[in-house]
Amino acid sequence: MTALTHFQTPLLQTPFHPRLAPLNRQQNWGAWAGYLAAGCFGDAAIEHTAIRNTATLYDISPMIKYRITGPDAVAYLNRLTLRDAGALAPGQVQYTAWCDDQGKLMDDGTLFRLGEADFRLCCQERHLPWLLDSAFGFAVTIRDESEDLAALALQGPVSATVLDQAGFDVRALKPFRQASFEFGGGEIAISRTGFTGDLGYELWLPPALALPLWDHLMQAGALYGLTPIGGEAVMLARTEAGFLTTGLDFIPVQQALREDRARSPFELGLGWMIAWEKGHFTGRRALQAEKQNHSSAWALVGLEIPGNISAEGAILYQSKKREVGFITAACWSPTLKRNIAIAHVESRYADCRDLWVEIYAQRELQYHKLMLKVARTARPFFAPERRRATPPARW
């Protein structure tokens, strides 16, 4: 029997690690898809402030990336995902998701159309066996290119100015669009996408260009406050934006140990993305039945909570008595000066009337129970006009 030694193997280093390691003086690292990922380089609050006021760099190289090519690429993706891949023109991007046969969500991600029969699917979880099984009967080739492509997120109101200073003219690039640029004897792609809810871009490049690009951007952004950031600041920003995170805001159905933990797109507020007119797709029959029968058991809601104590992980009660939901992400928003949360609530209580949250706040080593009345509020919590303005403002 072969001995298992995977636990002895160190986490991989991304192509940007030689620049990130000296900055991470506190050695604040975490694991992301088998890679070392920085949690914070010093102070998460300062890094978050940079996202909302200047420009930031975040290493997203560990993201899972699949290349899907072939004459049946559109037909295959329309069978696999909820949205209409055929509606994308080359150079466009869409936020999408996919389900199992019971209509329960497996993951969400971004789909890039690179050519007529050339796509890239980026997501949080690994899905190669499912993607390959789903390709039966389609003339497509699917390849995991996660290790072949480095990536950076350049986010913040000054991000377009930094790119312009670096010689990349993205002024005409609209949200969810992508363009290619020459750099260092090769080519990089820049998409107007991101996970902060702010003006921002993602840069996709061969690993050999990673360090030259990092140095080039840091030099170009030196006068504009360009700041490297870690995952803690990004998670705070994504909560303000009301974005979902796989494994935190929902359990992928293929990982759920309990049947009632899986969620449908309707239960996660993603019903809007279902392209019913495109024909059959995996989970369609189950989702049609759920829609027609109004049988969604859960609803995903945005909440505003009194005070400034984060309610992450707290339980929700109807009339202070009956447990009817729970909070998956919460924070005191430095940007909005509001205590906000994303929560799962039983669908019959989705109006959130007479809904209370039970919080245990630590004060000088002792926990105090707080029962606070919550109010439903719209998501995204933070959605500035600058995130869509084209051309973006100059700084």
Side-chain angles (χ1 to χ4, degrees), residues 112-152:
F112 296 72
R113 189 165 193 172
L114 308 178
E116 286 299 322
D118 189 1
F119 293 82
R120 176 180 295 129
L121 182 63
C122 299
C123 52
Q124 184 74 17
E125 302 295 321
R126 297 189 183 276
H127 296 278
L128 189 56
W130 178 263
L131 297 184
L132 292 173
D133 288 347
S134 300
F136 183 80
F138 292 98
V140 293
T141 299
I142 302 168
R143 182 172 65 88
D144 186 340
E145 60 174 9
S146 301
E147 296 185 18
D148 303 330
L149 201 63
L152 278 177

Side-chain angles (χ1 to χ4, degrees), residues 42-61:
D43 189 310
I46 292 176
E47 292 176 16
H48 171 267
T49 298
I51 295 175
R52 296 296 183 228
N53 293 279
T54 56
T56 58
L57 277 180
Y58 178 52
D59 183 6
I60 57 173
S61 299

